Amino acid sequence: MALWTLFGLRKGSASTDWPKAGNNHGQQGVWGMPRVLDGACADSCEACIEVCPTQAIGRQEKASTSGIVIDYGRCITCQRCVEVCPEPVLQATDTWALGVRNRDDLRWQAALQTPEAAELGQRIQTRFQRSLHIRHVDAGSCGGCESELQALNNPFYNLHRLGIFFTASPRSADLLLVTGALTRSMLGPLHAAWEAMPEPRWVMAIGTCAVSGGIAEGGYTCGHGLNEELPVDVYLPGCPPNPAAIIHALLLLLGRSSQRVHAGRLT
Amino acid sequence: MSGQVQMRPMLVDDLPTALNTLLATGGRMQMAYAWFRDGQPQVCYLAAPGAGQAFECWSVAVPAEGLPSLAPIAPLLGWYEREIQDLVGIVFRNHPEPHPLVLERGEHTPPLLPGAEGVVTTTAPHALPEVEGEDIQELDFGPVRADVLESAQFRFFYIGERILRYQPRLFLKHRGMERRFQGLTPEAGVVVAERVSATASLAHALAYCQAIEDAADCEPPPRAQAWRCLLAELERIYNHLHYFGHLADATTLKVGQAQGRWLEEQTKQLLARVCGSRLPMNLLTPGGLRRDLLLPDDFAGQLAAIEKETRHYLDMLSDTSSYIDRLQATGVLSQQVAFDKGATGPIERASGLDRDLRRDHPYADYAALVPEIALREAGDALARAEVRADELRQSFALVKGAVDRLGAGEVCHPCAPEPGSFGLGWAESPRGSLFYAVSLDTQAHLAWAKIKSPSYSNWRVFPFTVHDTNMMDYAINEASFGLSVAGCDR
Ligand code: SF4
């Protein structure tokens, strides 16, 4: 056993300083959600709308010069739309931090006034001080979100350093973190976990399946997103969202980072 | 018509004899699934006569009174038959375990019957065994478990430290992914396949694309084939590293856990820089790759650094007696049970069954990149870990071999399956054998897709290593299997 202790000491710390300092978030090269550029679509071209597997793309006059809109809450970053777009309208990006407090901010709309969001931030600040305890519930995922959630505790992200902990008992949890397509069999256990949590309690939907149903939506056992079941405080789409995006969303809940999408636009 | 699989139409009455002959000549069943030809239900039994021989699809028309269960002859078919009954409504007579598996059979139309619509109204069943005796206690664990884990529920019947019987309740996460393929174009199906079990996203995309390529009788260009192996082996590396982190955690070796996770993270970061996603997705298409990829300049150096640290890590693990002691003689799976119940991948190889699709039925570029197959006889947790350790070391060599074979050239050939065609594809995923069977409709869109996932096979086997063991060993035994729930539940 002494062997391992020495080994641990010698290795020192592998943790990144991000997001406290620097920009080493570890996601170099990761493709994110597509962006709608200013430009005009060819007449009656609907190529992107047709290939999108999750009906994330639609048309809305005045939403953009092309009229193309993306609901990021439905996007699974498959890049099919970017591939079929004949014009320079849809573009792949490396933008991945997409946690929002209001589901509508993942859609294009006239900019939203959200006093609730500000209030939520306030409440969380007073309630949590600096630490946050999370109960995770897998409500029918493909295992991708869990793989990235488990990564949060690896030496690189080392979530503990931010005062954020996973806990086994919902009774000591502040935040319910839900992944998956909301299968019928998991609704009972999901609600039981939420009921067991002390108030005030918060809920976060992680991954496009939990945000809107994702690729499994329309399946004979699946739902259309977590807001059908519980009041959701933060939405983080992605397929799966990467660990840095998850940290960003957690800090957003804690009021320690700023939202990067507003009204369906990346900033 | 498919070139990888031989179609053998069969009469119901001939099934038992054919099956006995297959088993007597060293063959094995892979799976059974139901589908519909011109609206008529058919069941296909996928038989594997042996290494190098074409797979056989024994196809039978289903008579009104259902089919005889073949589980008494080949126990691994038991789960497939029950699933068919739950999802398609075909009855299997004289089934040794007749209760539902995937869904309670309720008022709803079986969801995979053609034309079935809407949602089902039942949940995953929990068929509990009768356990009789004095002082027996019951413990339910899950489906929401400690930390971040996939949902599954377990019932333990125990006295003191001794587990008498163990009954998992799976399929709480059943999303009906196979029906999700129906009506899609072959290209669109890849996006679904990648999201069936994301820790094997590449293996699923690969097996699926190869099924379409089989139906279309097309072959990807050599550069695409080398890329497919390269990505598949990187996927194996990060999965196996995750496995060791998890196993070290189960044996309370905290530094060992952190080191496994750290190496896994480095591999995922490398993958992101190679292909744009940490879990390799959005890359394959029938006929090759969706886009050409470029190796980062520092790839060889990065890979060598991870390999060096991994070798050191594996050596340290095998020098740690507290870790080895906990694994030795834990959760023993005999070769007979492994074969009968259908164990696959590192699990069957740790129980002495020498099978690996990469070598026995080469696909992609594996005819040139032949892996040495790791094999152990003991069938305990230690053997399972040793097999994965050997595979992990091998995978680095295979990645390097694939890099050397990345010649110049295109990465995709046209690949359009004929309307009404059928195809079979497979891959040796990090957890074992994965099959996709697809059939196309009159517009050459997907009419039917069946997935045989490795964790479905291994979850079927796992309880046989838990009955009559100690509570203390359970977590280590489960970690030593390295199971995915999403893959099993689909
Ligand atoms: S990248 Fe997102 S918006 Fe584009 S096709 Fe895929 S899911 Fe739809």
Side-chain angles (χ1 to χ4, degrees), chain A residues 1 3-5 7-8 10-11 14 26-31 53-54 76-80 83 135-144 146-151 154-157 166-168 181 183-186 189 214-222 239-240 242-243, chain B residues 87 103 111 118-124 143-151 172-177 179-180 187-188 191-192 195-199 242 253 255-256 258-259 261-262 264-265 268-269 272-273 276 278-279 281-282 290-291 309 312-313 316-317 320 322 486:
Chain A
M1 205 54 112
L3 185 73
W4 283 99
T5 316
F7 180 71
R10 207 176 51 234
K11 284 205 64 71
Q27 311 309 311
Q28 282 79 6
V30 174
W31 285 31
T54 50
I76 57 168
T77 64
C78 73
Q79 317 298 342
R80 296 250 298 154
E83 255 170 32
R135 174 64 260 189
H136 159 254
V137 174
D138 161 17
S141 72
C142 68
E146 283 69 24
S147 179
E148 295 297 58
L149 283 167
Q150 287 165 350
N154 76 34
F156 186 81
Y157 305 103
F166 284 96
T167 164
T183 55
R184 177 170 284 268
S185 300
M186 281 310 297
I215 193 72
E217 196 193 14
Y220 48 85
T221 56
C222 299
C239 196
N242 66 56
Chain B
L87 301 183
L103 277 177
V119 295
V120 298
T121 47
T122 56
T123 55
V144 179
R145 299 186 277 161
D147 290 331
V148 177
L149 288 174
E150 289 189 85
S151 291
L172 295 148
K173 286 170 51 135
H174 177 63
R175 292 166 288 157
M177 291 304 277
R179 197 174 83 177
R180 186 65 180 81
E187 293 78 34
V191 175
V192 180
R195 287 154 182 85
V196 169
S197 177
T199 52
H242 178 88
L253 205 58
V255 186
Q259 181 64 1
R261 293 287 158 88
W262 167 227
E264 176 195 1
E265 175 64 25
K268 280 180 168 179
Q269 292 191 10
R273 292 176 53 233
R278 292 163 51 88
L279 315 181
M281 287 187 186
N282 315 322
R290 280 169 60 179
R291 59 189 164 96
E309 265 198 81
H312 183 52
Y313 173 55
M316 280 186 73
L317 284 175
T320 304
S322 66

Side-chain angles (χ1 to χ4, degrees), chain A residues 136-141 145-146 149 177-182 204 206-207 209-210:
Chain A
H136 159 254
V137 174
D138 161 17
S141 72
C145 288
E146 283 69 24
L149 283 167
L177 200 160
V178 183
T179 55
L182 285 309
M204 190 182 285
I206 291 271
C209 291

Side-chain angles (χ1 to χ4, degrees), chain B residues 177-377:
Chain B
M177 291 304 277
E178 280 144 346
R179 197 174 83 177
R180 186 65 180 81
F181 286 89
Q182 293 179 13
L184 297 181
T185 63
E187 293 78 34
V190 189
V191 175
V192 180
E194 288 166 337
R195 287 154 182 85
V196 169
S197 177
T199 52
S201 53
L202 202 279
H204 275 263
L206 185 49
Y208 168 82
C209 285
Q210 289 172 163
I212 299 286
E213 286 152 12
D214 179 36
D217 202 11
C218 78
E219 208 179 311
R223 182 173 168 85
Q225 299 287 40
W227 262 117
R228 286 175 169 195
C229 287
L230 197 163
L231 293 165
E233 294 304 324
L234 284 176
E235 179 171 84
R236 194 180 321 277
I237 291 172
Y238 94 74
N239 267 286
H240 280 13
L241 286 168
H242 178 88
Y243 171 91
F244 282 105
H246 187 45
L247 193 59
D249 189 33
T251 57
T252 64
L253 205 58
K254 288 296 172 197
V255 186
Q257 179 221 19
Q259 181 64 1
R261 293 287 158 88
W262 167 227
L263 287 163
E264 176 195 1
E265 175 64 25
Q266 292 180 57
T267 312
K268 280 180 168 179
Q269 292 191 10
L270 185 60
L271 265 165
R273 292 176 53 233
V274 169
C275 72
S277 49
R278 292 163 51 88
L279 315 181
M281 287 187 186
N282 315 322
L283 299 161
L284 269 49
T285 193
L289 306 184
R290 280 169 60 179
R291 59 189 164 96
D292 200 0
L293 299 170
L294 210 64
L295 278 179
D297 290 342
D298 60 350
F299 179 81
Q302 291 286 329
L303 186 78
I306 299 174
E307 180 180 7
K308 184 162 172 255
E309 265 198 81
T310 298
R311 285 180 177 273
H312 183 52
Y313 173 55
L314 294 174
D315 289 345
M316 280 186 73
L317 284 175
S318 51
D319 284 346
T320 304
S321 56
S322 66
Y323 166 87
I324 300 293
D325 290 350
R326 301 296 305 274
L327 301 183
Q328 218 153 22
T330 295
V332 177
L333 176 67
S334 72
Q335 190 178 118
Q336 188 66 46
V337 174
F339 181 85
D340 285 348
K341 310 289 181 188
T344 185
I347 308 302
E348 66 173 326
R349 294 191 281 275
S351 291
L353 296 175
D354 186 7
R355 292 163 184 263
D356 189 310
L357 290 169
R358 293 174 294 173
R359 180 201 60 195
D360 300 342
H361 300 272
Y363 53 92
D365 208 11
Y366 285 114
L369 299 163
V370 190
E372 260 174 55
I373 306 306
L375 205 61
R376 295 291 186 281
E377 299 290 332

Side-chain angles (χ1 to χ4, degrees), chain A residues 17 21 37 46 53 71 84-85 133 136 150 159 169 197 212 228 231 235-236 242 252-253 258-259 261:
Chain A
D17 289 332
L37 299 179
E46 303 230 309
D71 177 355
V84 299
C85 182
H133 293 263
H136 159 254
Q150 287 165 350
L159 201 61
S169 163
M197 288 170 66
S212 65
E228 289 191 331
Y235 297 90
L236 175 65
N242 66 56
L252 178 72
L253 181 81
S258 57
Q259 186 167 320
V261 199

Side-chain angles (χ1 to χ4, degrees), chain B residues 33 35-36 182-183 211-212 215 418-423 437-441 444-450:
Chain B
Y33 67 96
W35 63 297
F36 291 81
Q182 293 179 13
I212 299 286
E418 293 286 321
S421 53
F422 167 86
V438 297
S439 21
L440 293 116
D441 65 15
H445 290 180
L446 285 150
W448 202 265
K450 169 62 196 169

